[in-house]
Amino acid sequence: EKAQIGVTGLAVMGRNLARNLARNGFSVALHNRSQARTDALVAEFGSEGTFVPSTDLAGFVESLEQPRKVIIMVKAGAPTDAVIDELVPLLDEGDIVVDAGNAHFADTRRREAALRDKGLHFVGSGVSGGEEGALNGPSIMPGGSPESYAALEPMLTKISAHVNGEPCCVHVGPDGAGHFVKMLHNGIEYADMQLIAEAYDLLRQVLGLSPAELADVFRDWNTGDLESFLIEITAEVLSQTDPTAGGPFVDIVLDQAEQKGTGRWTVQSALDLGIPVSGMAEAVFARSLSGDVVRREAAAGVLPGPASPKADVDRDAFIEDVRHALYSSKLVAYAQGFDAIRAASEEYGWNIDLGAMATIWRGGCIIRARFLDRIKEAYDRNADLPSLLVDDYFRDAVASGQEAWRRVVATAATVGVPAPGFSAALSYYDGLRAERLPAALIQGLRDLFGAHTYKRVDRDGSFHLEWSGDRSETAQ
Ligand code: NDP
């Protein structure tokens, strides 16, 4: 009896994905470079379903029914290429190779093209939700040919998370589309976490609330529009006491945020596409600043600022203001993220359904939130929505909270508490809605120093002023 699908790479993610498939009734071929992981899986969880273990890749391929479906779940980068190179000569035309690791979408585009040339399908699939999600239902973002998705769909939609009976798995688009959307998911996750951290920091410093009191604030927020996994676990982390020394856990954690690089990829890709993703960029920069020990030590206690961050504000009113600032800034980050997906979709011809992306992220993944239902509804109302911010529902939400948002950014600046996410989001919002931007002056400067020309508001064409001569205007 041949297995319906195979997983090679049985570290925490691959192992849990294989178990998830088996628990859902699919027979799963198993392989890992070092056999110990395969043996451990079968020994510990063999009773969960039908596993077909192999000691080498040839045996693994042999154990699969055709057309073969192979999920690669190894370290992203060179290891993925190494596995693909070893796998490809063993496969037959029409077989499907799924890379479910965190590949860069450009690598996925390259691999898809190479395998397509050999008559094989390559599916770059984002998988989100960490090890828990992989086991119990992740959010899945597959990219590749429609034929390969049709073959995988019954399995992927069965093992994915579900919200209101709908799977958090949709065919994103061709080649790198799935991994691009997964990357954006991570970028948005960075922005979300930075904004939550700013809300925490402001409430703590300005009002002097304890982490336990703040946990209650976040718990309360989690019953409204902000309801999400990240807000829920924020309350959990803030209410945790240090198991070693007692006292708030958050206070004994070194304040240097690490990163594996997908946030940076998101910002780099958005820069290439010319899409402002300031929310995500500020989140990446804030992590970098936090880890820049040399400069932080040189500046702390040396650079002057306000004497105390405490402000004479009403407690409940300020909490409500910060809630509005968080919601509006989060909306900006998502609007920017969806702009980047739209731009990439146009650039690479992916034809991505933006509303469907919101559906995928409603469950299973780290940014799962009630908010995503609202995004889906916004795209249902208008599939060609130019920006989430101009959707009626979101426009009204920001309209009712924007004064609060402005007060929070002003307070942060006045008391000297950094809020790069909140303020960058507000600047983006004001830039977007401005009737006229100072870009006109920049164009003037560019024309003066570099003869880069400018366009006029009243006539078509490009123009240049003879800056060093008689300052007459010539059409270019
Ligand atoms: P790791 O990223 O730690 O990778 C370990 C696995 O890769 C092992 O099975 C290892 O085999 C295999 N491997 C490494 N190098 C090679 C090679 N040259 N040839 C063959 N196999 C190799 O495992 P994770 O389970 O954490 O993640 C797997 C993938 O999923 C990664 O791409 C990761 O980015 C992605 N991902 C991870 C998430 C997470 O929460 N951890 C969430 C979402 C995606 P061996 O046992 O022989 O060393």
XYZ file of all heavy atoms in Angstrom, residues 44-96:
394
model
N 7.002 7.385 18.852
C 6.145 8.167 19.760
C 4.709 8.303 19.288
O 3.781 8.303 20.076
C 6.726 9.579 19.927
C 7.830 9.684 20.959
C 8.331 11.109 21.051
O 7.585 11.976 21.552
O 9.465 11.361 20.579
N 4.539 8.479 17.974
C 3.206 8.847 17.475
C 2.668 7.905 16.406
O 1.677 8.206 15.755
C 3.235 10.281 16.929
C 3.800 11.265 17.908
C 5.054 11.829 17.706
C 3.090 11.630 19.040
C 5.582 12.743 18.619
C 3.605 12.527 19.959
C 4.859 13.089 19.750
N 3.351 6.769 16.223
C 2.967 5.833 15.165
C 1.513 5.396 15.233
O 0.898 5.085 14.208
N 0.945 5.439 16.439
C -0.432 4.970 16.595
C -1.458 6.014 16.145
O -2.657 5.732 16.111
C -0.684 4.625 18.059
O -0.524 5.791 18.839
N -0.987 7.215 15.793
C -1.944 8.273 15.422
C -2.533 8.098 14.020
O -3.504 8.775 13.677
C -1.275 9.649 15.521
C -0.991 10.056 16.951
C -0.414 11.455 17.067
O 0.092 11.989 16.066
O -0.480 12.017 18.170
N -1.885 7.250 13.204
C -2.378 7.075 11.838
C -1.463 6.160 11.064
O -0.679 5.404 11.652
N -1.522 6.265 9.729
C -0.707 5.392 8.888
C 0.559 6.119 8.441
O 0.494 7.074 7.656
C -1.514 4.949 7.642
O -2.760 4.405 8.092
C -0.759 3.919 6.843
N 1.687 5.682 8.968
C 2.972 6.249 8.566
C 3.773 5.197 7.813
O 3.768 4.022 8.187
C 3.782 6.690 9.795
C 3.157 7.834 10.554
C 2.592 7.623 11.814
C 3.147 9.123 10.023
C 2.027 8.673 12.520
C 2.581 10.171 10.736
C 2.017 9.956 11.980
N 4.457 5.656 6.744
C 5.310 4.753 5.976
C 6.733 5.325 6.003
O 7.081 6.173 5.187
C 4.802 4.625 4.509
C 5.639 3.605 3.750
C 3.322 4.277 4.468
N 7.546 4.891 6.955
C 8.883 5.472 7.088
C 9.878 4.902 6.088
O 9.768 3.734 5.703
C 9.286 5.074 8.512
C 8.512 3.836 8.804
C 7.249 3.897 7.996
N 10.814 5.752 5.655
C 11.910 5.286 4.800
C 13.222 5.818 5.341
O 13.270 6.893 5.929
C 11.731 5.790 3.361
O 10.657 5.147 2.744
N 14.279 5.069 5.077
C 15.586 5.487 5.574
C 16.311 6.354 4.554
O 17.201 7.115 4.908
C 16.463 4.262 5.895
O 16.483 3.436 4.722
C 15.893 3.481 7.066
N 15.956 6.214 3.268
C 16.599 7.085 2.268
C 15.550 7.682 1.342
O 14.399 7.223 1.296
C 17.677 6.330 1.476
C 17.112 5.113 0.774
O 15.892 5.103 0.480
O 17.864 4.169 0.524
N 15.979 8.705 0.601
C 15.042 9.457 -0.223
C 14.461 8.589 -1.346
O 13.288 8.718 -1.692
C 15.761 10.697 -0.793
C 14.936 11.959 -0.964
C 14.123 12.315 0.267
C 15.847 13.136 -1.328
N 15.285 7.681 -1.895
C 14.801 6.819 -2.980
C 13.663 5.922 -2.476
O 12.626 5.778 -3.142
C 15.944 5.971 -3.529
N 13.846 5.382 -1.305
C 12.806 4.528 -0.730
C 11.547 5.335 -0.435
O 10.414 4.868 -0.645
N 11.752 6.547 0.029
C 10.649 7.463 0.335
C 9.818 7.737 -0.923
O 8.590 7.581 -0.929
C 11.274 8.750 0.889
C 10.357 9.928 1.065
C 9.427 9.990 2.084
C 10.481 11.039 0.214
C 8.619 11.108 2.263
C 9.687 12.154 0.390
C 8.746 12.192 1.413
N 10.510 8.083 -2.017
C 9.826 8.370 -3.283
C 9.093 7.124 -3.766
O 7.954 7.188 -4.226
C 10.851 8.877 -4.335
C 10.243 8.881 -5.730
C 11.347 10.274 -3.958
N 9.742 5.994 -3.628
C 9.167 4.718 -4.045
C 7.885 4.400 -3.266
O 6.977 3.745 -3.773
C 10.233 3.620 -3.813
C 9.964 2.300 -4.491
C 9.600 2.443 -5.969
O 10.228 3.266 -6.678
O 8.662 1.752 -6.383
N 7.800 4.877 -2.036
C 6.665 4.516 -1.180
C 5.417 5.381 -1.426
O 4.409 5.222 -0.751
C 7.067 4.614 0.298
O 7.158 5.972 0.691
N 5.528 6.316 -2.399
C 4.406 7.243 -2.630
C 3.563 6.850 -3.835
O 4.100 6.434 -4.876
C 4.958 8.655 -2.857
C 5.456 9.379 -1.618
C 6.370 10.531 -2.003
C 4.270 9.889 -0.800
N 2.248 7.031 -3.730
C 1.394 6.790 -4.895
C 1.557 7.939 -5.890
O 1.907 9.049 -5.520
C -0.076 6.602 -4.473
C -0.728 7.827 -3.879
C -2.198 7.607 -3.499
O -2.546 6.521 -3.020
O -2.978 8.560 -3.665
N 1.281 7.638 -7.176
C 1.501 8.645 -8.223
C 0.195 9.303 -8.646
O -0.837 8.633 -8.646
C 2.172 7.978 -9.428
C 3.634 7.638 -9.138
C 4.281 6.920 -10.298
O 3.925 5.766 -10.604
N 5.216 7.583 -10.946
N 0.202 10.577 -9.079
C 1.358 11.468 -9.034
C 1.758 11.743 -7.587
O 0.900 11.935 -6.738
C 0.866 12.741 -9.730
C -0.619 12.711 -9.583
C -1.006 11.270 -9.565
N 3.061 11.764 -7.341
C 3.558 11.875 -5.966
C 3.373 13.288 -5.418
O 3.469 14.269 -6.152
C 5.033 11.494 -5.921
C 5.311 10.087 -6.414
C 6.780 9.784 -6.312
N 7.077 8.451 -6.839
C 7.390 8.222 -8.109
N 7.459 9.215 -8.976
N 7.642 6.987 -8.515
N 3.131 13.331 -4.143
C 3.026 14.622 -3.449
C 4.017 14.601 -2.297
O 3.862 13.828 -1.360
C 1.611 14.836 -2.924
C 0.566 14.814 -4.028
C -0.839 14.794 -3.492
C -1.821 14.426 -4.593
N -1.744 12.989 -4.997
N 5.041 15.445 -2.427
C 6.117 15.461 -1.438
C 6.175 16.824 -0.768
O 6.305 17.850 -1.454
C 7.485 15.196 -2.109
C 8.611 15.294 -1.080
C 7.494 13.852 -2.808
N 6.067 16.847 0.533
C 6.237 18.116 1.264
C 7.655 18.172 1.819
O 8.083 17.262 2.536
C 5.216 18.232 2.426
C 3.788 18.217 1.886
C 5.475 19.503 3.231
C 2.715 18.321 2.973
N 8.370 19.235 1.464
C 9.712 19.453 2.025
C 9.567 20.434 3.180
O 8.994 21.508 3.033
C 10.659 20.054 0.959
C 10.762 19.127 -0.261
C 12.039 20.304 1.555
C 11.590 19.730 -1.390
N 10.071 20.042 4.343
C 9.950 20.907 5.522
C 11.309 20.990 6.214
O 11.460 20.569 7.366
C 8.868 20.321 6.443
C 8.182 21.295 7.374
S 7.812 22.874 6.644
C 6.590 23.525 7.732
N 12.297 21.482 5.460
C 13.661 21.588 6.032
C 14.038 23.057 6.174
O 13.290 23.958 5.786
C 14.700 20.843 5.164
C 14.310 19.384 5.007
C 14.886 21.511 3.805
N 15.203 23.276 6.721
C 15.714 24.626 6.903
C 15.665 25.372 5.571
O 16.037 24.818 4.536
C 17.166 24.528 7.386
C 17.503 25.466 8.515
C 18.919 25.273 8.991
C 19.027 24.696 10.380
N 18.135 25.186 11.410
N 15.176 26.615 5.605
C 15.055 27.393 4.368
C 16.442 27.753 3.840
O 17.414 27.812 4.591
C 14.236 28.650 4.637
N 16.520 27.989 2.512
C 17.780 28.396 1.892
C 18.478 27.209 1.240
O 17.832 26.358 0.618
N 19.798 27.129 1.407
C 20.593 26.086 0.745
C 20.103 24.661 1.069
O 20.074 23.813 0.160
C 22.066 26.244 1.106
N 19.713 24.367 2.330
C 19.219 23.000 2.600
C 18.018 22.630 1.716
O 17.917 21.491 1.250
C 18.822 23.056 4.077
C 19.717 24.095 4.669
C 19.857 25.136 3.594
N 17.126 23.582 1.472
C 15.968 23.295 0.621
C 16.430 22.954 -0.797
O 15.959 21.994 -1.407
C 15.004 24.505 0.605
O 14.627 24.797 1.943
C 13.753 24.217 -0.215
N 17.397 23.734 -1.314
C 17.921 23.439 -2.656
C 18.583 22.061 -2.691
O 18.428 21.312 -3.664
C 18.932 24.511 -3.085
C 18.233 25.770 -3.603
O 17.242 25.638 -4.358
O 18.655 26.888 -3.242
N 19.307 21.736 -1.615
C 19.991 20.439 -1.562
C 18.971 19.303 -1.638
O 19.166 18.329 -2.376
C 20.813 20.334 -0.274
N 17.883 19.441 -0.906
C 16.861 18.388 -0.905
C 16.183 18.311 -2.278
O 15.967 17.217 -2.818
C 15.823 18.626 0.218
C 14.674 17.646 0.112
C 16.495 18.517 1.581
N 15.882 19.475 -2.857
C 15.246 19.485 -4.184
C 16.158 18.799 -5.201
O 15.709 17.955 -5.996
C 14.928 20.938 -4.629
C 13.831 21.529 -3.745
C 14.496 20.965 -6.099
C 13.581 23.015 -3.980
N 17.449 19.131 -5.163
C 18.390 18.558 -6.125
C 18.460 17.029 -6.011
O 18.615 16.323 -7.003
C 19.793 19.147 -5.924
C 19.848 20.605 -6.374
O 18.893 21.045 -7.056
O 20.833 21.299 -6.039
N 18.356 16.550 -4.796
C 18.425 15.104 -4.583
C 17.110 14.427 -4.981
O 17.093 13.298 -5.473
C 18.727 14.850 -3.092
C 19.291 13.468 -2.822
C 19.508 13.205 -1.330
O 19.694 14.181 -0.568
O 19.455 12.022 -0.940
N 16.030 15.164 -4.790
C 14.690 14.608 -5.009
C 14.331 14.520 -6.497
O 13.799 13.501 -6.965
C 13.694 15.515 -4.278
C 12.290 15.028 -3.981
C 12.312 13.742 -3.163
C 11.530 16.129 -3.218
N 14.639 15.601 -7.233
C 14.146 15.743 -8.602
C 14.470 14.551 -9.511
O 13.582 14.050 -10.208
C 14.626 17.094 -9.200
C 14.500 17.100 -10.718
C 13.809 18.240 -8.593
N 15.714 14.028 -9.510
C 16.003 12.894 -10.414
C 15.189 11.647 -10.084
O 15.061 10.760 -10.920
C 17.496 12.621 -10.182
C 18.024 13.777 -9.425
C 16.891 14.437 -8.734
N 14.638 11.591 -8.875
C 13.880 10.406 -8.460
C 12.405 10.502 -8.848
O 11.668 9.523 -8.740
C 13.979 10.227 -6.935
C 15.380 10.130 -6.327
C 15.326 10.238 -4.812
C 16.022 8.803 -6.750
N 11.975 11.695 -9.290
C 10.542 11.919 -9.532
C 10.172 11.707 -10.991
O 11.026 11.685 -11.882
C 10.165 13.343 -9.094
C 10.354 13.647 -7.597
C 10.060 15.116 -7.311
C 9.483 12.743 -6.733
N 8.871 11.584 -11.241
C 8.364 11.448 -12.602
C 7.498 12.646 -12.955
O 6.976 13.327 -12.073
C 7.514 10.168 -12.707
C 8.353 8.916 -12.540
O 9.333 8.767 -13.299
O 8.042 8.118 -11.627
N 7.326 12.857 -14.268
C 6.530 13.976 -14.745
C 5.167 14.024 -14.049
O 4.531 12.982 -13.863
C 6.335 13.840 -16.257
C 6.294 15.176 -16.947
C 6.312 15.014 -18.459
O 7.303 14.461 -18.973
O 5.331 15.448 -19.094
N 4.757 15.226 -13.673
C 3.447 15.386 -13.036
C 3.493 15.300 -11.519
O 2.513 15.622 -10.852
N 4.617 14.867 -10.958
C 4.736 14.817 -9.500
C 4.750 16.237 -8.927
O 5.117 17.199 -9.613
C 6.022 14.081 -9.079
C 5.902 12.562 -9.263
O 4.792 12.093 -9.574
O 6.923 11.868 -9.099
N 4.358 16.338 -7.664
C 4.213 17.659 -7.027
C 5.154 17.783 -5.835
O 5.121 16.954 -4.927
C 2.753 17.861 -6.542
C 1.789 17.764 -7.730
C 2.603 19.194 -5.820
C 0.332 17.638 -7.305
